[in-house]
Amino acid sequence: MDYRTFQAGTMSAALAEVKHELGPQAVILHTRSFVKNRWLGLRRKEVFEITAGRGARPNPTLRPAPIKPQPDPRRQLLESPAGQNIVMTGLFQEVTGLKAMVQELVVHANRARCPQIPEELFEYYSQLIQNQVAEELAADMIKTIQRQIRPEYARQADFVRQKIAEQIERHLPSSGPIVRTKAVGPHVVALIGPTGVGKTTTIAKLAANLKLREKRRVGLVTLDTYRIAAIDQLKKYADIIGSPLSVVGTPEDLSAALRSMDDCEFILIDTAGRSPNDALKLSELKGLLAAAKPDEVHLVLSTTASQQCVELAIARFGEVRVDKIIFTKLDEAAHVGVVLNVVHKVNKGLSYLTTGQDVPDDIEVGQPRRLAQLILAGPDAQLMMRQNR
Ligand SMILES: Nc1nc2c(ncn2[C@@H]2O[C@H](COP(=O)(O)OP(=O)(O)OP(=O)(O)O)[C@@H](O)[C@H]2O)c(=O)[nH]1
Ligand SMILES: [Mg+2]
């Protein structure tokens, strides 16, 4: 076959050239795109290349094939695999173009709404907003940075990102991990929170890390007597790590269970998930915690919930007792800014973040710097989380 290579700045321009030179019957053999460096690599240009031929010459030794009605040559070209490749590439280009256009419109709309944000720092402000950092908080951080740095530094991306990380750290109180400070008796920690946020899984991760990695004596207590499955779930983990588990339903049983584990260094209490709207169950939980007198109560919240749900949970569970906050399911969160908004607003220390279903690995101490990195990573945050495992 007689074939030639055509190059152009867009796939459709290259295709037009193929059609012009070889006619509509042209057969496409190969397509590719690559970046060409020009001016000693200072300018880069994307090139689209199509290798096409005029079609196979008829073989005289073969009997002529019966004449079939020919589809329209344009359709023939489009239906070939290479033709479809081009269509897909074209679509991809168009979608990418549309995305950039929408992004630009969003930035433009935000910019119109926030004339107080300096032009050179607007991109960073936009990134924080896209990660659902509250507008007021984002504006506050950016304005502080503007006051801190000289204008020429605002153009140095790494420097500005470092400053934003510092701001996020400043606005995100962290409580550090669970630490036993007393010399005698168990350090008692209770986890409370809405249903299904990951309390039991987090208790299992904490217990396994304390027992297997730190070699501590750990006892487990569950107050979740509503469902057999919930007891089985924790029993399975207790057996694997070799820790005692007590299942208790009343405040009196709870006090007795804690006394029976007096030789443990840590006791972790799992509770049944409660709806923030269920006042009765919340007051029952309050009674149980009053009997347990835990050293720390961590409110467990999921990053997959809306900020509104999270705030309602904080308000209602706050009436029970909340000392620290654990955020779960970061691996499923589209945006991690909510963690910053919430922890900053309620001014409770962030103790842990959980990043997956695997016990005991998918948990980390809630470090502001790490959260800053995740917020600044934007769409790459999930990738960063997986790489960190
Ligand atoms: N993706 C993801 N899933 C998680 C994480 N933590 C827990 N899960 C999952 O969330 C689901 C609920 O977890 P549980 O630990 O049973 O939640 P819970 O808060 O104890 O639930 P209730 O006791 O019913 O209120 C399970 O499928 C867990 O595997 C996490 O960090 N990431
Ligand atoms: Mg549970």
Side-chain angles (χ1 to χ4, degrees):
M1 190 196 287
D2 170 24
Y3 62 87
R4 288 169 54 189
T5 299
F6 299 85
Q7 291 184 349
T10 65
M11 196 48 96
S12 49
L15 186 59
E17 220 176 302
V18 172
K19 276 201 220 162
H20 180 254
E21 293 292 320
L22 302 179
Q25 304 262 16
V27 176
I28 290 162
L29 301 169
H30 182 65
T31 64
R32 67 173 181 139
S33 68
F34 56 93
V35 174
K36 226 182 202 175
N37 285 325
R38 300 164 69 202
W39 301 102
L40 301 170
L42 292 175
R43 292 173 69 185
R44 291 156 65 81
K45 185 181 170 224
E46 192 163 15
V47 177
F48 293 84
E49 186 182 276
I50 301 178
T51 306
R54 240 184 249 283
R57 283 198 201 95
N59 184 338
T61 59
L62 294 177
R63 269 197 302 148
I67 297 168
K68 281 196 235 149
Q70 286 296 311
D72 163 4
R74 206 176 130 79
R75 265 185 60 203
Q76 209 178 23
L77 186 68
L78 281 177
E79 282 168 10
S80 68
Q84 284 180 2
N85 235 346
I86 293 177
V87 173
M88 290 309 291
T89 313
L91 276 176
F92 178 73
Q93 270 185 316
E94 298 222 344
V95 171
T96 311
L98 277 172
K99 262 172 79 179
M101 203 189 291
V102 170
Q103 188 108 11
E104 215 169 287
L105 279 173
V106 170
V107 171
H108 195 74
N110 281 338
R111 190 170 292 173
R113 276 197 351 221
C114 318
Q116 78 277 25
I117 304 293
E119 173 93 26
E120 61 280 13
L121 295 174
F122 202 85
E123 177 194 334
Y124 303 98
Y125 172 76
S126 232
Q127 199 172 358
L128 293 170
I129 299 294
Q130 278 170 34
N131 260 302
Q132 301 210 334
V133 174
E135 286 181 18
E136 205 183 325
L137 183 56
D140 185 29
M141 291 197 288
I142 295 290
K143 281 190 274 178
T144 306
I145 292 169
Q146 187 196 13
R147 282 196 300 275
Q148 281 178 347
I149 64 176
R150 291 219 300 272
E152 60 269 31
Y153 284 108
R155 308 230 174 260
Q156 295 185 14
D158 285 348
F159 186 75
V160 177
R161 289 167 79 84
Q162 170 64 24
K163 287 285 166 200
I164 293 179
E166 282 170 18
Q167 282 301 307
I168 293 178
E169 284 182 48
R170 199 170 70 82
H171 286 86
L172 191 87
S174 148
S175 70
I178 294 170
V179 179
R180 179 170 176 259
T181 42
K182 53 177 93 159
V184 182
H187 185 80
V188 182
V189 180
L191 264 56
I192 62 171
T195 43
V197 288
K199 296 177 293 297
T200 307
T201 313
T202 306
I203 287 259
K205 290 172 185 173
L206 292 170
N209 278 298
L210 284 169
K211 178 86 200 284
L212 306 176
R213 300 213 167 115
E214 294 182 31
K215 311 282 180 227
R216 302 306 198 109
R217 291 186 304 280
V218 181
L220 296 173
V221 173
T222 178
L223 307 182
D224 191 350
T225 49
Y226 298 103
R227 295 167 304 139
I228 288 289
I231 299 170
D232 286 349
Q233 186 188 1
L234 199 56
K235 178 88 181 80
K236 193 180 75 188
Y237 289 122
D239 288 347
I240 294 172
I241 62 173
S243 281
L245 168 70
S246 281
V247 182
V248 296
T250 63
E252 298 73 42
D253 288 353
L254 178 55
S255 306
L258 294 177
R259 276 197 304 275
S260 74
M261 291 184 181
D262 213 27
D263 59 333
C264 288
E265 290 164 284
F266 291 91
I267 298 178
L268 305 181
I269 304 178
D270 189 17
T271 58
R274 278 150 169 98
S275 154
N277 293 319
D278 191 337
L280 193 68
K281 290 244 172 78
L282 288 178
S283 94
E284 184 192 73
L285 178 65
K286 200 170 181 171
L288 285 162
L289 289 185
K293 298 188 194 66
D295 295 284
E296 305 177 21
V297 177
H298 297 232
L299 173 62
V300 184
L301 297 165
S302 168
T303 30
T304 58
S306 69
Q307 179 150 343
Q308 208 182 5
C309 286
V310 166
E311 283 181 4
L312 177 70
I314 291 180
R316 296 287 156 79
F317 283 93
E319 289 166 21
V320 175
R321 177 177 158 186
V322 174
D323 301 319
K324 297 174 182 178
I325 296 186
I326 295 177
F327 265 102
T328 60
K329 309 193 188 185
L330 243 80
D331 54 308
E332 287 185 10
H335 305 283
V336 287
V338 173
V339 177
L340 176 62
N341 301 341
V342 166
V343 179
H344 163 67
K345 200 163 170 182
V346 297
N347 203 22
K348 299 276 179 202
L350 176 70
S351 56
Y352 294 93
L353 295 170
T354 79
T355 56
Q357 293 179 295
D358 284 351
V359 177
D361 291 329
D362 291 341
I363 187 163
E364 47 188 84
V365 175
Q367 288 162 337
R369 180 145 295 232
R370 167 94 165 122
L371 202 78
Q373 284 169 348
L374 291 175
I375 290 177
L376 289 170
D380 295 332
Q382 299 299 337
L383 186 71
M384 265 181 73
M385 238 176 281
R386 282 194 292 275
Q387 282 170 345
N388 204 48
R389 283 186 195 173

